[in-house]
Amino acid sequence: MSEPEVNTNEEKKGTSDFVEDGKNKMVIKCKYCLSKILEKKTAVYVEQEKELPLMFQGIDRKQGEIKKEMLNEYYHVDNMYIFENIGFTHQVDNYKYLTCADCEAGPVGYYDLDSKHSYIALSRIEHS
Amino acid sequence: MAKKTYDLLFKLLLIGDSGVGKTCILYRFSDNHFTTTFISTIGIDFKIKTVELRGKKIKLQIWDTAGQERFHTITTSYYRGAMGIMLVYDITNEKTFDDIVKWLRNIDEHANEDVEKMILGNKCDMEEKRVVSKERGEAISREHGIRFMETSAKANVNIERAFSELAEAILDKAAGRDADPDHARIAVERRPSRAPPARACCS
Ligand SMILES: Nc1nc2c(ncn2[C@@H]2O[C@H](COP(=O)(O)OP(=O)(O)OP(=O)(O)O)[C@@H](O)[C@H]2O)c(=O)[nH]1
Ligand SMILES: [Mg+2]
Ligand SMILES: [Zn+2]
């Protein structure tokens, strides 16, 4: 309670299981079918506030409504050919969403058409 | 920044009449299929898949084609950069098989002349509805010196194999060109189809 910094320290400790020298320490796989998305140490860990549509939209939503959640931990990939296996959706606004190439689970992240960079959300994938 | 993580990159296109199953082939559409509502609404444009062939790490970038595209609307810009084409028909639909010849002509007109082609007779899980025999598929492929395979996106038959064979053919061609730039192309064009002998598709 007296130490507000404790929070950030804990956060760092959590990611250190996955992040080494700023990169992904482990292989990144699909949570559902374990298809390999990225090799070790090929993506850079970044903290940024960015919304992603939910994987499961549910049936109770209104027509055209897209439920999203705010995520703040991503892996940054600056060249799409670094991916081992990945799917790109059609364009929505200025993005293409990223999916598992084998079971199409997603979005696991997004591709920005302006910068041509890709971002994979840590919470949407498996480290192994 | 990151070092190159592959040896070669091949761009592949899926082409054929509407309804033959191109999107399902890209989607794979197998039992462990798991398309979320959000993803299936938007649809997948292309995939990157990594395969290993003869010790080389190869990235395949595989593109689906938009639904209503017909051969007369597909032109040069569409084929740009494509090194391999999967030409798909539906074994339960005669028209889609007849159109293969038109697609081949379109490819000849608009695609890079040394693009590697492969013909796929899809939906081979629907034996009871078959109207195009496997022999006819093999015959037309032999006639054009193109590889052939029957596939089922639904039962996940030969899909992976088809892509690795196409990739291997591109690799062969590239190797030939490196070794003998003047003669490789001619040699490749005359090489008979290496389509494997009749293999039961879904039995
Ligand atoms: N039984 C069976 N049905 C299939 C197979 N592949 C695709 N289908 C069905 O065929 C229909 C058309 O498949 P699509 O993948 O949408 O066809 P397409 O070639 O992408 O068509 P367009 O996008 O209109 O050009 C769908 O209803 C699929 O379920 C298969 O291997 N077996
Ligand atoms: Mg389609
Ligand atoms: Zn998956």
Side-chain angles (χ1 to χ4, degrees), chain A residues 30 33 100 103:
Chain A
C30 168
C33 74
C100 170
C103 74

Side-chain angles (χ1 to χ4, degrees), chain A residues 84-124:
Chain A
E84 291 295 297
N85 298 288
I86 194 84
F88 287 71
T89 67
H90 290 289
Q91 185 174 347
V92 179
D93 298 325
N94 227 16
Y95 302 111
K96 282 172 182 281
Y97 290 100
L98 305 176
T99 74
C100 170
D102 284 320
C103 74
E104 281 94 33
V108 294
Y110 67 94
Y111 169 78
D112 183 329
L113 278 112
D114 285 332
S115 66
K116 306 225 180 332
H117 292 184
S118 304
Y119 296 86
I120 296 282
L122 268 74
S123 67
R124 299 275 175 101

Side-chain angles (χ1 to χ4, degrees), chain B residues 14-29 64-69 88 90 92 121-126 128 151-157 159 202:
Chain B
L14 283 157
I15 279 184
D17 281 6
S18 183
V20 296
K22 300 179 297 293
T23 299
C24 290
I25 287 172
L26 185 70
Y27 259 74
R28 225 169 90 159
F29 162 177
D64 190 8
T65 62
Q68 321 80 328
E69 298 277 20
V88 189
D90 172 356
T92 71
N122 191 40
K123 307 197 188 180
C124 71
D125 56 288
M126 294 211 284
E128 72 288 355
T151 57
S152 166
K154 187 172 187 176
N156 197 8
V157 174
I159 303 291
C202 297

